Amino acid sequence: METEKLDQNYIAHTYDRYPAVLVKGHGVKAADDKGRVYTDLTSGIGVNIFGYCDDIWKKAVEAQLDCLQHTSNLYYTEPCAHLAQLLCEKTGMKKVFFGNSGAEANEGAIKAARKYAAGKHGADTYTIITLKDSFHGRTITTLAATGQDMFHHDFLPLTPGFVHAERNNLADMEKLVRENKTAAIMIECIQGEGGVHVLDQKYVQGIQKICDENDILLIVDEVQTGNGRTGSYFSYMNYGIHPDLVTTAKGLGGGLPIGAVLFNEKTQDVFRPGDHGSTFGGNPIAAAGGVSIAERIDDTLLQDVRAKGEKVQAFFKADPDVKAVEGMGLMIGIEPKYAKAEDVLMTCMKHGVLVLTAHDNRIRLLPALNIPEDTLMAACEVIQEALAEERKIK
Ligand SMILES: *Cc1c(COP(=O)(O)O)cnc(C)c1O
């Protein structure tokens, strides 16, 4: 049976997939089973940081496959220790816990925040304030953290202890801190699924001040924005803040499932043996790939990411079919003035370019960080043509 049919017959229908069976990829090019080649500006939703089947990443993974694939966390292994060292050196954070996904990383940070606050301020200090339009994952607890009602209904009751503040409204945050015994404030500096909304510098620094003054932990969700995506190693570094817990996943492993919680000096000793764990967490193959990725995210690459991002933003800001452009580095949201983002996506796909959408009718670009500039700009021209085409249809 052909793949599409098999999938529809046997895979639970949680995804509405686009009409392509991808079979092979190299760099930012992906080919489907009919031999069509696409320029992929999605990188598997920000996962394939250096594109498909990148040679350096592949060699690192293959070398580890020849050693061992899994040990359990009862033993030491080199790749995860090495990856933790790199993450700490690049951020100044002190310790790392490895899981397998963004949601699992956020669960870990939420548990750490609850334990810290209960120990320090008493068991009734457990509320975590997150933002409206945020996205933190699909488990019952990370759904509770996610400030979008559309994901909540049908799954109630969710884990208690989460309230949602209005984005870029410090007075609303202050009010919620007054009203709730608050353990932590958790933010994405750039909301990804929520529409590529960049938080204001003043607002984020205001949150840091509130946290400092009230011994509230600051958690930054870098699942999508991390690992070089925004032109800094983590997006919080663009804001001059010092979070207590940082979570990441997507790009961390360059394509294999791995997530992490980073702890600073304040939170590094919150977890004791037995408090938390994950059978697959820190898997040596995923971690070996991750080491090869982390080693390559250096100042030269980050500068290149910023330069390419600015070029794309300027390109679309000059386009009369575009209402708004927002983003940082190679995380870019484009709001069409006339068309529906979903229609533009389909037209782009027909013309050989893969893009994402996000809420608030936005086209979302998360290309591989090493995408050649001419390939990127050629794909942007295809998007521009699709925007014009959709306007004419309207
Ligand atoms: C994708 C995402 C998650 C969830 O990650 P999974 O690996 O799908 O569990 C959490 N937070 C943010 C900001 C994300 O973009």
Side-chain angles (χ1 to χ4, degrees):
M1 218 188 289
E2 60 175 301
T3 303
E4 255 171 89
K5 273 261 146 48
L6 265 182
D7 187 301
Q8 284 158 11
N9 283 354
Y10 293 110
I11 300 278
H13 193 188
T14 64
Y15 307 106
D16 275 327
R17 301 193 204 275
Y18 295 114
V21 180
L22 298 180
V23 291
K24 210 168 162 48
H26 194 256
V28 296
K29 300 289 179 181
D32 69 14
D33 59 349
K34 298 182 177 71
R36 282 214 60 172
V37 176
Y38 302 90
T39 301
D40 187 341
L41 303 185
T42 77
S43 63
I45 318 188
V47 168
N48 302 329
I49 283 281
F50 289 105
Y52 291 105
C53 302
D54 171 77
D55 286 333
I56 297 171
W57 173 82
K58 216 172 69 177
K59 279 208 182 80
V61 168
E62 280 171 356
Q64 183 56 40
L65 264 173
D66 285 332
C67 299
L68 42 79
Q69 80 276 36
H70 173 80
T71 59
S72 87
N73 279 304
L74 300 173
Y75 305 98
Y76 297 101
T77 55
E78 195 274 339
C80 82
H82 190 178
L83 181 56
Q85 178 195 17
L86 283 169
L87 290 172
C88 289
E89 283 174 0
K90 283 171 186 283
T91 58
M93 299 297 278
K94 299 296 177 201
K95 291 263 159 49
V96 179
F97 173 86
F98 286 114
N100 305 281
S101 68
E104 196 186 345
N106 286 336
E107 290 268 347
I110 290 163
K111 277 178 74 176
R114 281 197 170 180
K115 189 176 174 199
Y116 175 90
K120 200 95 190 274
H121 305 292
D124 58 348
T125 302
Y126 56 76
T127 298
I128 295 178
I129 305 174
T130 66
L131 301 189
K132 290 178 180 164
D133 296 326
S134 60
F135 184 85
H136 298 294
R138 301 284 197 161
T139 63
I140 288 290
T141 296
T142 56
L143 269 184
T146 294
Q148 302 188 56
D149 287 341
M150 56 175 276
F151 291 120
H152 291 175
H153 60 79
D154 294 343
F155 303 108
L156 303 175
L158 304 176
T159 306
F162 290 88
V163 296
H164 310 295
E166 232 168 76
R167 175 178 69 234
N168 287 331
N169 181 343
L170 207 54
D172 191 42
M173 184 62 81
E174 281 162 352
K175 175 170 165 283
L176 289 178
V177 167
R178 275 197 307 276
E179 288 171 357
N180 298 279
K181 285 184 176 288
T182 307
I185 296 173
M186 180 169 175
I187 58 169
E188 301 156 85
C189 292
I190 301 151
Q191 296 182 328
E193 315 292 322
V196 194
H197 294 292
V198 181
L199 296 190
D200 296 342
Q201 188 93 14
K202 270 219 173 92
Y203 175 66
V204 173
Q205 287 176 357
I207 289 176
Q208 178 73 67
K209 191 154 171 275
I210 292 172
C211 288
D212 288 343
E213 287 170 358
N214 299 282
D215 194 19
I216 292 168
L217 294 181
L218 177 57
I219 308 173
V220 181
D221 179 340
E222 297 272 2
V223 171
Q224 189 163 153
T225 49
N227 311 290
R229 173 58 54 194
T230 67
S232 295
Y233 203 89
F234 286 117
S235 68
Y236 77 79
M237 294 167 167
N238 300 322
Y239 284 87
I241 55 169
H242 47 94
D244 302 295
L245 295 158
V246 174
T247 61
T248 190
K250 290 192 168 89
L252 180 62
L256 288 172
I258 185 167
V261 186
L262 279 59
F263 304 83
N264 71 356
E265 47 288 309
K266 198 160 163 182
T267 55
Q268 62 177 327
D269 294 321
V270 171
F271 282 150
R272 305 311 310 167
D275 279 343
H276 198 45
S278 172
T279 299
F280 288 116
N283 170 274
I285 295 169
V291 166
S292 85
I293 299 286
E295 280 174 338
R296 292 161 73 190
I297 302 174
D298 58 14
D299 287 343
T300 312
L301 178 89
L302 293 173
Q303 206 180 332
D304 186 49
V305 167
R306 285 195 293 272
K308 284 186 288 199
E310 278 159 24
K311 199 146 186 211
V312 171
Q313 286 212 34
F315 179 85
F316 285 109
K317 275 178 182 155
D319 184 337
D321 288 321
V322 169
K323 185 170 165 195
V325 186
E326 208 176 334
M328 208 181 260
L330 286 175
M331 177 170 184
I332 298 163
I334 302 154
E335 190 177 337
K337 196 179 272 175
Y338 308 103
K340 274 208 196 102
E342 194 64 30
D343 295 339
V344 176
L345 178 151
M346 292 306 295
T347 305
C348 286
M349 192 172 175
K350 269 186 219 136
H351 296 159
V353 172
L354 304 181
V355 300
L356 298 160
T357 59
H359 292 150
D360 301 334
N361 195 36
R362 284 183 167 184
I363 299 154
R364 179 171 41 142
L365 308 182
L366 296 173
L369 303 187
N370 62 341
I371 185 170
E373 191 177 298
D374 52 349
T375 310
L376 176 63
M377 296 319 294
C380 286
E381 278 172 28
V382 173
I383 299 169
Q384 187 174 57
E385 283 158 24
L387 284 161
E389 209 173 298
E390 286 303 320
R391 164 180 34 87
K392 283 173 201 150
I393 292 169
K394 290 258 141 167

